[in-house]
Structures are given as structure tokens and as C-alpha cells.
Amino acid sequence: MQDSIALVPTMGALHAGHLELIRRARELSETVIVSIFVNPLQFESAADLSKYPRDLAGDTEKAIAAGATKVWAPNYNEVYPGEIAKISAGAIGEIFEGRHRTGHFDGVLTVVSRLFDYAKPDYAIFGEKDFQQLFIIKKWVKENNFPIDIVSVPTVRDSDGLALSSRNIQLTPAGRRAALIISQALRTGNKEAMLQTLASEPDFQVDYAEVIDEETFELAPPGSQSARGIIAGWVNGLRLIDNMRMGSDQ
Ligand code: PAF
């Protein structure tokens, strides 16, 4: 606990899920840095980037109340002074989320590497909600022998099952109701039932719904003890993702 630094990288619009990350960070370190930076490199369109919710004053208050000792909201030039040395996520960055969001994970790794360079954390905390992101960051840290512990925190859900996301505030009431089909599908515990459940909601358009092995991110072999359902799709113009360990509700 002594003298270590925990970093919670965020893009702001903090919700209860982020606050769990901050609380976990505070259990690990006395110094908890919460970074808030909406990273243009991980958005595919300027429209999506400009729609992303921003509330620095509110976020700062929430982060401090949850245990942050420093809220760090750098501007673009601080994060990317001069030419950007892009980091490639490789083949894993091109499947599932990566297939639907070209270059997204390269953008994530590039910003995370800049944030790590500045903050020099001993721990970096990420949510399981972005499970492929978590997998890619862990893999990259391991392959490069960075002396940083990547700590993951389970997804926080509303009482009706919807995974918390900064984007949820953009859902209409009807869209929010339709979005509940995602966690309902994940709870069925197998791919066929997942697809059938999703098909029962006409206002949800599936991008993918698969069961992967969480150790490899490949399609889960029959009988896998570490199978995880992953779903992405669209509801009222918003793209939502979620995942769950098969046979659990997390
Ligand atoms: O998960 C997020 O909010 C972002 O992808 C991250 C890790 C802060 C990088 O911009």
C-alpha cells in the first residue's frame, strides 16, 4: 500500500461503475489518479466524438468523493505533443469490437501508453464492461513486461440488469427498455438462446453475439470453464456492448 500509485483511466461522464474502479484503486494505493481525457483516436467519427458526454466539474466532485487523490484532465497537446507514435493492438484488435470499430483498440492502446508514461502507475484499474479492451491491455502489458498490475473490476449494473455506461444517458425511455434485452440474453447462458432472446426485441440490432473463452478470446470450445458471452448492437441510434461469464450474472 505504501508509496504506490493507482491510475484509473477514464473518458469522464463518471457513473457508479467508474466509482467502483476508484474505490478499488484506493484499496490498493494511497495515491489514486483519475485521468479524464476523451481520446479522439478511439472514435471512428467526429459526430460520435462530439456527442460524447462531458462534465468535468461534476466528474471531479464524484471522483474525489470516491477516493481519488488527484483528478487529471490533460488537454490534447499534453497527451499528444508532436507526432503520435501509434501502438497496434494486432490481430485481436481486429475482431469483434475491432471489426466494427476500425482502429479503435490501436487508439485505446496509444492513449493508455501515454497515460502510463505520465502517471507511472503501479496499478491501473479497468472495468470488465469493456472486456475486449481489458484483455488487450493485459496482453500488451504482459508482452512488454511493463511493471504495472492491471486490475479488473466487475461490471456494475442497474437493478434491471442494464450495464452502466456513460452512453446510457443518451437512451430514450423506450430505447432503455429495449436495451434490457442485452443482459437478458447474456443470462441465458448459451449462444443459441442468446440469439433467440435478442431476436425477440425488434428495436435491438445485433452487431455480434458470441461466446468466447476469456483466457484466449477465441470462440469457446464445448465445455469451456471460462466461457463468456459478448454482445454488441444498436438501440435507438446508440451502440451498446455488454458481456457476462456464462452461467453467472457478472
Ligand atoms: O474505457 C475507457 O473509458 C477508455 O477506453 C480508456 C481506457 C479511458 C482509454 O481512453
Side-chain angles (χ1 to χ4, degrees):
M1 175 105 175
Q2 231 69 79
D3 293 322
S4 64
I5 297 176
L7 173 68
V8 183
T10 81
M11 297 205 298
L14 302 187
H15 51 65
H18 294 110
L19 306 186
E20 274 305 301
L21 305 184
I22 298 171
R23 283 188 207 104
R24 181 73 187 107
R26 196 54 198 264
E27 287 169 4
L28 297 165
S29 294
E30 296 224 333
T31 302
V32 173
I33 304 175
V34 174
S35 64
I36 298 181
F37 178 66
V38 183
N39 174 34
L41 262 53
Q42 66 188 84
F43 288 80
E44 308 80 84
S45 77
D48 196 25
L49 174 63
S50 71
K51 266 198 315 204
Y52 202 82
R54 290 164 171 86
D55 175 17
L56 184 54
D59 286 345
T60 303
E61 221 171 276
K62 288 181 200 164
I64 300 282
T69 55
K70 180 175 175 176
V71 175
W72 174 46
N75 64 33
Y76 182 89
N77 290 323
E78 285 173 84
V79 177
Y80 299 123
E83 204 172 312
I84 300 174
K86 278 217 179 160
I87 296 182
S88 166
I92 174 77
E94 285 165 21
I95 57 175
F96 301 120
E97 276 307 280
R99 195 155 73 79
H100 291 270
R101 307 181 70 187
T102 309
H104 171 72
F105 289 117
D106 298 349
V108 169
L109 282 189
T110 304
V111 77
V112 166
S113 126
R114 300 298 300 143
L115 300 174
F116 284 2
D117 282 350
Y118 282 111
K120 307 213 177 328
D122 301 284
Y123 303 98
I125 329 293
F126 296 89
E128 286 183 359
K129 162 80 172 30
D130 294 299
F131 202 78
Q132 192 173 357
Q133 165 176 286
L134 174 66
F135 183 93
I136 287 174
I137 292 171
K138 276 188 178 162
K139 181 170 178 285
W140 169 71
V141 164
K142 189 167 175 215
E143 283 172 359
N144 289 282
N145 287 315
F146 294 136
I148 302 174
D149 258 5
I150 303 300
V151 177
S152 60
V153 173
T155 302
V156 176
R157 299 176 182 280
D158 273 333
S159 56
D160 58 11
L162 186 67
L164 297 195
S165 158
S166 304
R167 292 173 190 262
N168 290 355
I169 53 172
Q170 297 172 48
L171 286 169
T172 60
R176 200 185 178 293
R177 274 195 298 280
L180 295 181
I181 204 67
I182 307 173
S183 56
Q184 284 164 14
L186 287 166
R187 288 208 169 99
T188 62
N190 69 74
K191 183 173 166 184
E192 287 67 37
M194 237 163 58
L195 289 172
Q196 258 175 28
T197 306
L198 293 175
S200 71
E201 175 48 74
D203 289 336
F204 183 73
Q205 284 83 47
V206 188
D207 267 353
Y208 59 79
E210 272 302 350
V211 180
I212 53 109
D213 188 304
E214 55 185 34
E215 306 300 330
T216 60
F217 232 93
E218 287 166 9
L219 295 185
S224 162
Q225 293 303 300
S226 45
R228 188 169 278 266
I230 55 171
I231 293 179
W234 292 84
V235 68
N236 97 243
L238 273 186
R239 190 162 184 283
L240 298 178
I241 63 172
D242 196 359
N243 67 85
M244 226 179 253
R245 176 58 100 86
M246 292 283 89
S248 85
D249 57 5
Q250 267 310 322

